[in-house]
Structures are given as C-alpha cells and as structure tokens.
Amino acid sequence: MKLISIMETRSKLFIWRQRIGYGSADFACNLIWQMISLYLLYYYTDVAKLDGMQIASMFIICRLIDAITDLLFGYVIDKTSTRWGKSRPYFLWGAVPFAIFAFLTFSVPSSLSESATLIYCYLTYTGLSIMYTVVNIPMASILPALTDDPQERTNLATTRQFFAFLGSTLISLLGLKLVSFFGNGNDAVGFKYTMFVFGVVGAGVFVFTFFNVRELPNRGKIGQKLNLSSALVSLKNNGPWKIFAVNIIFMWIGYFLQAGALIFYYNSVVGSQNLSVVVATIMSLVPVISNLTLPFLARLYSKKNLFIIAAVVQIFGCVVIWLAHSNYFTIIIGAIISALGYGVKTSIYFSMQADPVDYGIWKTGIDTAGLQSAINGFLGKIAQAISGGLSGVLIAWGGYKGGELIQTDKALNSITIMYLFLPIILNAISVVVMLFYKLDKIYPQIQKDLNERNHIIK
C-alpha cells in the first residue's frame, strides 16, 4: 500500500510538473508576441518612422513568407524522430534564436537610410516570425502526444492559457513602463533593452519546458507516418478540422486588429494613454481568472457550445465599449466583459485543437498532428497578415500622423473601425462558422475506438 501511495504521489507530481512545463512555454511566447501585437505597429510608425503603406506591405509579405514556412515546418515535425519525441526537441533548439530575433526586431538602427531601415525591418520581422513558428507550432502538435485523456487535455490547455494570459498581463503592466525606464524618454533605446530582457527570460523558459514535458512513447504506433500526399488526403477527409480551420481566420483577424489598434484607440479617440494601459491590463489579467473556470465549465457544456457562448460574451463587451464613448467607467466595464468571454473562448479553442487530430487517426489511420498544427499556424499567420494589411491601409486611409496629439475625424473613425467595428463583425462570423462543428457529439466513441486499437497494439 505504501508503494502504491508513493507511485500515486509521483504520478500526481509529474502531472503537475508537465502542466506547468507545457503551459509556461506560452508565457515565453507571449512575452515576445504580446509586445509585437500591442506595440510593433506603434514602434514602426512612431520610432522607425515608416509610413502606413510600407508597414501594410511588409506585414502582408512577411506573414505570407512565414505562413509558407509553417506548412513546411509542420511536415518536418511529423517526420522528426528523436529520443525526445518529435515536437519536444524544438523547444530547446529554437529558444535562443527566437530571443535574438525578438531583440533585433525592436532594435532598428537610427543611422540607416529609409530604404535600409525598411530592408532591416523586413529581415528581422520575418526572422522573428519564422522562429516563433519553431517554438510555437510544437505547443499545439505535442498536446495530443502528452495525454490520451480529454479532460487532461483541457487541463493542459487551461494551464497553457493561464501562463499565456500571465505573460500578456506582464507585458500590459510593465511593457511601456520598462520602455520608459530603460529609454528615459528615448523610445528607441527603451524598446531595445526591454526586448533584451524579455528575450533572455523567454529563452530560459523554453529550456525549462523542454526538461519538464514528455511525449507518450506509443503515440506513433496508433497512426502511420506516411508521405505528404497521404497526409494531405487525410486532412481533406477531416471535416471537423476544416470547420475549425475556417474559424481560425475570422477569430484571429478580429483579435489582431483589436490588439494592434488598442493603443491608438485610447490615445487618440478616447484621449487617455493611461486608460490604454488599464484596458490592456484588463484584457490580459481578467482572462487569467476566467480561464481558471474552464475545467469546471467544460464538464457542463460541450467545447463547441462553450466557445460560442464565450464569443457572444466577448462581442457584447465590445458593444459596451462602443456605446461608452469616452466614459472611462463604462469602458472598463465593457473591457472586463469582453475579457471574460475572450479568456474562456481562447482556452477552449486550444483544447479543441487536439480533437481533430484524433478524428483523423480514427478515420484514416494517419497521425497528422504536426501538419494540422502547422496549417492552423499558417492560417493564424494569414489572419495576422490580413489584419496587419488592413491596419496599415486604415491608418493610411484615415491620414493618421504618428507622434501628433490631435488627429483628424477621418483618422479617428478609421481607428474605431479597426478597434471595434471589424472585430465585432468578424467574431460574429466566427460564431456562425462554429455552429457547423459536430465533433463533440461523436468524440466519446472516437476515444473509445482509439483506446481499443492502442490496447491491441500493446
């Protein structure tokens, strides 16, 4: 009995070690990517002095290049075979290069000519995006291999989102403060050294993740490692994944548009930089709290229904912000409501990613975890490219002038469209798309069949 108790204790310790190890990787990702989402557009306009159309073109071109590398990298993961697994090694191999490119992206030399500055931004932003692929896609592809238990997958996704929101909150609270501290009035210097600090911390966390997660040794025996053509045929026959993939486009365009426009909206439309920090903090901190309710809510509602309900709550919060105009109190209430919905929606989204992988193995016998994760990442990059292009176009169309306190009505309208109207519409479309997702109904049978196959193989 004592031996059994020790084994159970060790098992519980490993479960929590793996949850924390897995989840903390998204903390590292968000230290860098939240800075990109919130401040890169601002950095390029107000520090690097690029115009809106230059930024729009660069965002689209770089994201498309990056999206192609996503597809290639997903296939590389599926073909990877090491003693550590097929996804896990990339947390170790990608940690330092990711940190280096993060630093370089926010270190545009002031002495460069306009054309040289643009080339530098292209190279560093593309490099950062590719290295983000190297450390981020394995986070999705490894989840089906960490556990076969659907509830534990939700727990892992919840932990991941907890750390992701923790990273986002840290950036919202400290990002601009660190820029101010290091720069002492010089944003170029401030951003450079802030990203150095976040890069070093992020690299260390990825190494921590590598040493604290383990892939199931029998995962590759359930499906077959086939060629790219067969894998693509498997994806073609995976209806639930195709619905999930279409949703990615609308969901993430709305997110990236709103995140990129946040500082513009509160600085220029509402007229309060302090409020931009408050709302950014709310949008990072409140989801941490709502995320913790996910394991409980997942027992009451299907993943699809929980996603839809949370998305509707998020939309309602955006409407409240719009109706508030310049009323700070009402804006904060709207931001809290929106953040509550966003927290639950995003957490269940990451939990759902693993389920179509199981469906594909069940239906075709082919494990395409890496390729699915890569295409999901590819679509996310496409969404970011579209949102970046739209942002640049709207900034240029509105005639926004970087660094000026007073903007034209047209500029203010373009920012409002970017921050509220388009995200509301796109999230509504996302809800409609998810109404066609039917996997939750048959998933228990899929899990039962896969467990039986695995038992036979053993």
Side-chain angles (χ1 to χ4, degrees), residues 7-312:
M7 292 177 65
E8 288 178 347
T9 300
R10 287 180 177 176
S11 177
K12 290 179 181 178
L13 287 174
F14 171 74
I15 287 172
W16 274 105
R17 195 182 91 187
Q18 177 156 274
R19 288 175 183 173
I20 293 171
Y22 174 71
S24 62
D26 223 0
F27 173 83
C29 282
N30 273 275
L31 283 182
I32 309 302
W33 213 252
Q34 188 70 357
M35 287 292 292
I36 297 291
S37 298
L38 289 177
Y39 304 124
L40 186 61
L41 181 60
Y42 172 80
Y43 179 83
Y44 280 158
T45 57
D46 287 45
V47 178
K49 303 300 181 183
L50 299 177
D51 67 46
M53 292 310 297
Q54 286 177 323
I55 297 170
S57 300
M58 180 174 61
F59 279 173
I60 293 172
I61 293 171
C62 291
R63 303 315 309 161
L64 290 176
I65 293 172
D66 181 34
I68 294 170
T69 63
D70 276 6
L71 298 179
L72 296 174
F73 188 67
Y75 185 61
V76 168
I77 289 177
D78 282 334
K79 302 295 281 186
T80 298
S81 179
T82 74
R83 62 190 178 93
W84 299 318
K86 65 180 185 178
S87 298
R88 182 184 165 211
Y90 294 101
F91 295 125
L92 181 64
W93 297 338
V96 173
F98 181 52
I100 290 172
F101 273 104
F103 171 74
L104 292 176
T105 298
F106 281 88
S107 302
V108 179
S110 59
S111 59
L112 295 179
S113 65
E114 182 178 343
S115 59
T117 296
L118 189 60
I119 292 171
Y120 179 93
C121 292
Y122 265 92
L123 292 175
T124 54
Y125 184 47
T126 301
L128 175 59
S129 299
I130 291 172
M131 292 316 304
Y132 181 79
T133 293
V134 171
V135 294
N136 189 260
I137 285 183
M139 291 193 63
S141 65
I142 201 174
L143 182 55
L146 294 180
T147 178
D148 289 328
D149 182 3
Q151 184 60 39
E152 180 58 19
R153 286 180 180 176
T154 298
N155 294 337
L156 284 164
T158 300
T159 308
R160 172 183 175 177
Q161 285 307 108
F162 172 81
F163 279 101
F165 292 137
L166 193 62
S168 298
T169 301
L170 186 66
I171 296 303
S172 300
L173 284 171
L174 299 180
L176 289 181
K177 291 180 180 179
L178 285 175
V179 170
S180 177
F181 172 77
F182 287 123
N184 194 26
N186 186 329
D187 280 353
V189 173
F191 274 108
K192 178 190 295 185
Y193 288 105
T194 297
M195 292 307 288
F196 175 80
V197 171
F198 290 149
V200 170
V201 174
V205 172
F206 279 124
V207 174
F208 172 79
T209 295
F210 170 80
F211 283 108
N212 286 280
V213 297
R214 296 291 184 274
E215 296 186 31
L216 294 175
N218 63 339
R219 182 69 186 179
K221 297 178 182 178
I222 299 176
Q224 304 174 35
K225 287 188 175 181
L226 301 181
N227 57 40
L228 181 59
S229 176
S230 299
L232 292 175
V233 170
S234 175
L235 292 180
K236 181 181 177 181
N237 293 319
N238 195 324
W241 171 75
K242 287 189 284 188
I243 296 297
F244 185 85
V246 171
N247 170 67
I248 289 172
I249 296 291
F250 298 105
M251 172 183 171
W252 288 114
I253 291 177
Y255 168 77
F256 288 124
L257 274 174
Q258 191 167 57
L262 186 148
I263 189 171
F264 294 96
Y265 183 79
Y266 291 103
N267 280 6
S268 299
V269 178
V270 179
S272 172
Q273 186 177 48
N274 289 334
L275 189 59
S276 72
V277 175
V278 172
V279 173
T281 303
I282 288 171
M283 296 306 296
S284 300
L285 183 60
V286 172
V288 175
I289 301 170
S290 63
N291 170 68
L292 295 176
T293 68
L294 186 62
F296 170 73
L297 294 174
R299 292 185 174 92
L300 301 179
Y301 302 98
S302 69
K303 292 182 180 181
K304 164 191 164 181
N305 289 340
L306 193 53
F307 180 96
I308 290 173
I309 292 170
V312 171

Side-chain angles (χ1 to χ4, degrees), residues 265-266 269-272 275 279 320-335:
Y265 183 79
Y266 291 103
V269 178
V270 179
S272 172
L275 189 59
V279 173
V320 171
I321 293 173
W322 173 50
L323 295 175
H325 300 294
S326 298
N327 185 301
Y328 288 12
F329 178 77
T330 308
I331 286 173
I332 290 173
I333 294 299

